[in-house]
Amino acid sequence: MDYLCTKGRSGSLVRQLYGVTKEMFLLDDSTVRDRIAAVQRLGWCVTNPPDGKLTGRTIIAPAPSLIARHEAYLQDLGKRLCTSVNAMQRTAYGCRASLTERQKTMLMGLLETCTTSWLAAADSLMAEASLSPARRAEARRHLMSTSHWTLLNRAIAHSHAEREDSAPADGMVADQLAAAVLELTGQSFQTTRDHIAYLTNLGLLERRPGKSLRIALSAHAVPFFDRMLANLTQDLIEVAQRLDSGEGTHAPAELTMIRRPALALAPVEPEHYLVMTSPSGSGQRFKIDGTTLTFGRLPPSGVMLESGEVSRAHCQVQLVGSQLEVTDLRSTNGTFVDGLRIDRTTTLHPGGLVQIGPYVLIHEIVPIEEADLGLGTIRVLPARR
């Protein structure tokens, strides 16, 4: 409904809504179609053709009643924003009775900023924990879902309550948390429990001792999300100031929100690794620094690979400046970078693959600099009239 009232006011194809909703809720097409039909039965959207069966080519547009509800939602959001800021600031701010289009855009942009910020905090944590780029990419996709976000949000809130001595220090009962999230998201109980297990495996949540399964925000994750909340506090105050001052009555081209510089979480220079998978499925991880690492079947190779497809001295990898360089050492069966056999020194980009006989290695950089995680300047474009 939010998508229809913002980006889809003039109408969207049902297949577009499939993509949007599946990304947010991890639902299949049939479930998304049922949700759209429910909105249609409530009279909150109109379809073209009006009486036809819903297909991927059906056009859905918001009805005036849905747009009115969305306007009331933004108005309430602005009031709650100012109430929250007033609790943190001595200066009182108020939300005007009628919001301009640009002020509505400010509020919607703030919601997107919040999502970007906590996803970036989670990604920074996973990078420091040395999760592979592939696993982090998969985790980001899952963390976009409302169920995962709600679970993590509850854990962050409980973490603060623990430190204020207003909540027990033994965490939350997992089944009670799953039931609470079920009420908000409509996911099945087992699915929500699976999501709790997934967040625990990522290191965002941790188990606490007790007779029942109890979980809490992991101790390692606390400083990441504390800093994220501190940054968001400043954004909240800035938007409240603009709402109170009436800024946005005459909308300029765009609004720019500047994220304040955060404390560094890791060294500026990233560390380079090669993560190797053997034919048996086992893996090894090699840090690449200023020395040259040689792969081959026999000494003096630094990494010996037991396979007849690997030459005595097969290839070498060296860090040159900020890039990894792969050189084939005239091997019999060749060295492959991203599927292509190389005959000269070749740059291996982050996430790139090296194949040596039956062995596959992926280039991993840890950590990713925070500037690449969405914590820079955020530009919010006003809605078109």
Side-chain angles (χ1 to χ4, degrees):
M1 290 188 287
D2 176 70
Y3 183 85
L4 286 174
C5 290
T6 53
K7 300 177 183 177
R9 279 202 176 195
S10 59
S12 297
L13 290 172
V14 166
R15 62 188 179 197
Q16 285 179 296
L17 297 178
Y18 286 166
V20 170
T21 314
K22 286 168 67 177
E23 181 72 20
M24 183 62 68
F25 294 98
L26 306 180
L27 301 175
D28 56 38
D29 286 352
S30 62
T31 305
V32 177
R33 188 164 52 249
D34 290 342
R35 300 282 173 91
I36 294 174
V39 175
Q40 189 179 17
R41 287 194 299 271
L42 290 169
W44 291 349
C45 68
V46 293
T47 61
N48 185 14
D51 300 318
K53 181 181 178 181
L54 282 178
T55 68
R57 295 184 179 181
T58 303
I59 297 177
I60 302 287
S65 58
L66 179 58
I67 293 176
R69 293 176 71 91
H70 192 261
E71 299 280 328
Y73 156 73
L74 288 178
Q75 189 74 42
D76 180 64
L77 176 65
K79 290 178 180 178
R80 287 187 285 118
L81 163 66
C82 291
T83 299
S84 298
V85 171
N86 291 337
M88 296 181 286
Q89 293 274 100
R90 291 184 178 179
T91 304
Y93 299 105
C95 181
R96 291 171 175 263
S98 178
L99 298 173
T100 66
E101 288 299 316
R102 183 166 180 261
Q103 288 174 330
K104 296 170 190 173
T105 303
M106 285 183 197
L107 291 171
M108 295 303 299
L110 181 63
L111 293 180
E112 293 181 7
T113 301
C114 293
T115 302
T116 302
S117 297
W118 81 262
L119 277 174
D123 205 6
S124 297
L125 172 62
M126 291 185 291
E128 188 173 89
S130 300
L131 268 68
S132 68
R135 192 175 179 194
R136 289 202 302 274
E138 179 190 18
R140 283 193 294 271
R141 185 176 67 86
H142 283 286
L143 291 174
M144 282 294 293
S145 78
T146 302
S147 178
H148 288 92
W149 183 90
T150 305
L151 286 167
L152 195 55
N153 187 57
R154 288 292 182 98
I156 294 171
H158 189 273
S159 171
H160 286 280
E162 279 186 348
R163 283 177 275 171
E164 293 174 352
D165 296 324
S166 58
D170 55 354
M172 300 171 287
V173 177
D175 283 351
Q176 291 179 352
L177 176 62
V181 174
L182 172 62
E183 288 291 324
L184 293 172
T185 65
Q187 298 278 18
S188 71
F189 187 78
Q190 184 56 50
T191 299
T192 307
R193 289 198 66 178
D194 291 343
H195 290 174
I196 292 174
Y198 183 75
L199 292 173
T200 304
N201 290 334
L202 286 178
L204 298 175
L205 302 181
E206 65 183 11
R207 296 188 62 170
R208 293 284 175 86
K211 292 182 179 180
S212 57
L213 176 59
R214 307 184 75 91
I215 58 96
L217 186 68
S218 70
H220 186 59
V222 167
F224 289 83
F225 290 107
D226 278 357
R227 190 194 59 188
M228 177 269 291
L229 290 171
N231 284 332
L232 285 180
T233 298
Q234 297 302 316
D235 289 339
L236 290 170
I237 293 171
E238 285 186 12
V239 174
Q241 288 172 337
R242 291 190 174 105
L243 291 175
D244 186 63
S245 66
E247 182 179 339
T249 304
H250 304 289
E254 66 178 23
L255 163 69
T256 301
M257 296 171 61
I258 304 296
R259 169 74 68 204
R260 283 155 181 71
L263 297 175
L265 293 175
V268 175
E269 292 298 326
E271 295 179 342
H272 297 257
Y273 293 86
L274 284 177
V275 181
M276 183 178 71
T277 302
S278 68
S280 64
S282 61
Q284 289 181 274
R285 196 161 180 264
F286 307 98
K287 182 178 179 179
I288 311 297
D289 47 27
T291 60
T292 300
L293 187 60
T294 303
F295 294 82
R297 193 175 73 254
L298 297 171
S301 298
V303 179
M304 289 185 285
L305 307 176
E306 298 178 356
S307 172
E309 299 178 45
V310 179
S311 298
R312 295 164 61 101
H314 198 100
C315 70
Q316 66 182 26
V317 179
Q318 184 177 13
L319 181 62
V320 179
S322 61
Q323 294 183 324
L324 282 193
E325 304 286 354
V326 183
T327 304
D328 182 71
L329 300 178
R330 298 183 180 180
S331 63
T332 302
N333 295 307
T335 302
F336 296 80
V337 173
D338 293 330
L340 299 177
R341 184 167 181 168
I342 62 173
D343 56 7
R344 61 175 62 90
T345 299
T346 302
T347 299
L348 179 64
H349 298 289
L353 299 177
V354 179
Q355 184 170 356
I356 306 171
Y359 297 86
V360 176
L361 302 99
I362 184 170
H363 178 200
E364 179 180 300
I365 290 183
V366 179
I368 297 176
E369 290 186 8
E370 189 176 13
D372 296 329
L373 298 174
L375 297 183
T377 302
I378 302 166
R379 296 191 180 276
V380 184
L381 298 179
R384 294 183 179 274
R385 293 183 178 273

